[in-house]
Amino acid sequence: MTEPQNESEDRGPVAGVQSVDRALSVLEILAAEGEAGVTEVAAELGVHKSTAFRLVATLESRGFVEQLADRGKYRLGFGVVRLAGAAVAQLDIAREGRPICEALAADLGETVNIAILDGDRAVNVTQARGPAALSTHNWVGQGTPLHATSSGKVLLAHAPDAVRKDLLSRGLQSFTPATLTDPEALRQNLDQIVDQGWGCTVEEFEVGLNAVAAPVRGADGDIVAALSVSGPAFRMDQEGHPRLARRVMAGADELSRRLGFSRPSR
């Protein structure tokens, strides 16, 4: 029995998109049925069994599908749970953080953001602008460099060693004359952030823009986000950063509590 024409081994972009679509369909089938064998998956997809087997085997290798012992059946694996958990966590951060951002923005009069670590960048998941904010730029959903933003530096300071080493081993892009591009200088700055509990940037990403950020912890105590306030340098001068940091840290602590983190009593 030969496979249909559309089952060829073409490795072009169309075939790649088709494979992704079919792999997602496999997950949907298992989600609906609970468990299914390769024959059932092939019938549902309208493909040859060998194609269905390759799809299932690939998903199994990544932990998205697992095989039931001695039954020839497959079900969703914990890789799906991991992705779902990450998505829910991001939604929780944005939802729980929104009122904190709004209150802090109204109190300080500047723009307040919450960002999460996404590979080698910080991605903003929610934002609120205070009455004095000059910028109308919406950063939600956009990525910013870890080494040149206050949120990015806070997230990088608390990131796994492998993440820090990888970024510090690369050439660091300069966005303004004040951007830290020397790996040793940045490493010292990151250590300082961990020690003092907050980080800042002084015109390092945009000329005339300063920012202060503090870490947000999840229920397990790990750093899951950074809460930041940013504004024009003439209003957020460097001398006032420690005072702003105390306000931002208080907001970050409140969000941490909302996410289930309980600081151990001394």
Side-chain angles (χ1 to χ4, degrees), residues 137-154:
H137 187 84
N138 184 2
W139 288 100
V140 175
Q142 297 192 37
T144 56
L146 295 179
H147 70 288
T149 59
S150 62
S151 291
K153 288 202 287 188
V154 165

Side-chain angles (χ1 to χ4, degrees), residues 144-145 147-148 172-179 181 203-207:
T144 56
H147 70 288
L172 299 172
Q173 182 179 353
S174 177
F175 297 93
T176 75
T179 306
T181 57
E203 302 188 72
E204 295 169 43
F205 187 45
E206 293 182 13
V207 173

Side-chain angles (χ1 to χ4, degrees), residues 62-243:
R62 299 298 295 270
F64 296 118
V65 163
E66 62 183 22
Q67 188 171 14
L68 300 175
D70 302 324
R71 293 180 56 187
K73 300 278 189 177
Y74 294 86
R75 66 184 178 191
L76 294 179
F78 280 101
V80 175
V81 177
R82 184 180 69 251
L83 290 183
V88 170
Q90 291 181 23
L91 291 173
D92 284 346
I93 291 170
R95 182 179 63 247
E96 296 295 340
R98 183 67 189 176
I100 293 173
C101 286
E102 291 175 344
L104 198 58
D107 186 29
L108 299 177
E110 306 293 355
T111 299
V112 178
N113 283 279
I114 296 174
I116 60 170
L117 182 66
D118 181 23
D120 60 356
R121 61 182 189 158
V123 174
N124 294 280
V125 296
T126 192
Q127 174 178 294
R129 287 192 292 270
L134 296 178
S135 173
T136 59
H137 187 84
N138 184 2
W139 288 100
V140 175
Q142 297 192 37
T144 56
L146 295 179
H147 70 288
T149 59
S150 62
S151 291
K153 288 202 287 188
V154 165
L155 293 169
L156 183 60
H158 294 277
D161 288 342
V163 175
R164 285 183 58 164
K165 289 178 180 177
D166 179 60
L167 188 136
L168 290 169
S169 67
R170 305 185 219 161
L172 299 172
Q173 182 179 353
S174 177
F175 297 93
T176 75
T179 306
L180 288 180
T181 57
D182 177 69
E184 183 55 34
L186 179 59
R187 184 181 294 107
Q188 292 177 11
N189 188 205
L190 297 178
D191 291 341
Q192 180 184 18
I193 288 171
V194 173
D195 290 339
Q196 68 187 12
W198 59 275
C200 69
T201 49
V202 181
E203 302 188 72
E204 295 169 43
F205 187 45
E206 293 182 13
V207 173
L209 181 70
N210 290 352
V212 173
V216 175
R217 297 183 182 274
D220 59 3
D222 290 341
I223 304 301
V224 296
L227 177 69
S228 70
V229 59
S230 59
F234 69 86
R235 279 205 305 262
M236 285 184 54
D237 61 275
Q238 194 170 0
E239 290 182 0
H241 284 182
R243 175 186 59 81

